[in-house]
Amino acid sequence: QALGPCGVSLSFTQTVSKVWAEGVKGFFAGFAATAMREVPFALIQMPLFEELKHNHPWAARAHVEDNKQRQGLIGMHCGFVAGSCAGLATTPLDAAKTRIMLTEDPRARLGLWRTLGVMSKECGMMGLFKGALPRGLHSGLGGALWLGAFEWTKLLLWPSEDGRSERNDRATTALLHGNIFQGT
């Protein structure tokens, strides 16, 4: 992290100067746009994740065999796809949010919908989707990690269908010891 005068971090200095210049409202510029981006993202990602998880080609066999490793991998696969789709679909909202946050003159900041309109006029629909590929990849990797971790944790902590504790399951014990391919 870059340091400014007297060893104070530049990000801290910039934050203080932003609040000093515009007040607390300037510090939270783009907050509403961020919330309006996150809600559609979650509304796309979570139902898609659950649907993909239940219809994954490995799902039926993994549940019949009570294979925790495979169920965890299914969660990661589905988290990647769901995160990627949600990231791609909400790219225009993210681009507008970024523009709002980077507009230095508070009088020039527009709301989310007006910013989307201006961007559409300036760049067309393709302009709204600039950066969609990196955003989709980033969101997909994030979905694989956090939804995959959620699935693994759920498998470790929830009792299985027959009432046994997951922590006593041989495959889960192997996973905890780092022997995910041995199953013993």
Side-chain angles (χ1 to χ4, degrees), residues 25-36 96-98 100-101 109:
K25 184 178 179 184
F27 183 71
F28 287 101
F31 179 77
T34 301
M36 292 175 71
K97 179 222 38 125
T98 302
I100 292 167
M101 291 177 128
R109 282 190 202 116

Side-chain angles (χ1 to χ4, degrees), residues 41 80 83-84 87 131-146:
F41 185 93
F80 180 84
S84 294
L133 186 60
R135 178 167 162 73
L137 183 60
H138 174 267
S139 298
L141 292 172
L145 291 174
W146 87 264

Side-chain angles (χ1 to χ4, degrees), residues 25-168:
K25 184 178 179 184
F27 183 71
F28 287 101
F31 179 77
T34 301
M36 292 175 71
R37 177 201 63 185
E38 289 302 315
V39 170
F41 185 93
L43 288 173
I44 294 168
Q45 184 183 36
M46 296 312 293
L48 183 58
F49 169 69
E50 289 297 328
E51 189 65 25
L52 289 169
K53 193 172 67 167
H54 293 295
N55 292 312
H56 193 282
W58 299 349
R61 185 172 178 190
H63 287 292
V64 167
E65 295 174 356
D66 202 27
N67 186 328
K68 304 302 177 219
Q69 289 89 0
R70 187 168 285 174
Q71 290 176 30
L73 288 173
I74 290 168
M76 291 183 78
H77 291 165
C78 297
F80 180 84
V81 173
S84 294
C85 290
L88 291 171
T90 58
T91 295
L93 298 172
D94 187 59
K97 179 222 38 125
T98 302
R99 182 177 279 200
I100 292 167
M101 291 177 128
L102 295 178
T103 302
E104 290 197 24
D105 182 5
R107 295 169 302 213
R109 282 190 202 116
L110 305 172
L112 180 65
W113 303 117
R114 287 180 58 198
T115 302
L116 282 168
V118 168
M119 291 175 68
S120 179
K121 286 178 186 170
E122 289 176 0
C123 310
M125 284 301 287
M126 291 302 291
L128 293 174
F129 284 93
K130 282 186 179 174
L133 186 60
R135 178 167 162 73
L137 183 60
H138 174 267
S139 298
L141 292 172
L145 291 174
W146 87 264
L147 290 169
F150 170 75
E151 284 299 306
W152 288 104
T153 303
K154 190 170 74 171
L155 293 168
L156 287 170
L157 298 177
W158 249 282
S160 63
E161 300 288 324
D162 61 3
R164 291 180 296 132
S165 169
E166 298 297 341
R167 286 175 269 183
N168 295 331

Side-chain angles (χ1 to χ4, degrees), residues 158-181:
W158 249 282
S160 63
E161 300 288 324
D162 61 3
R164 291 180 296 132
S165 169
E166 298 297 341
R167 286 175 269 183
N168 295 331
D169 185 84
R170 288 176 39 199
T172 305
T173 304
L175 175 66
L176 290 171
H177 290 53
N179 304 322
I180 62 171
F181 298 108

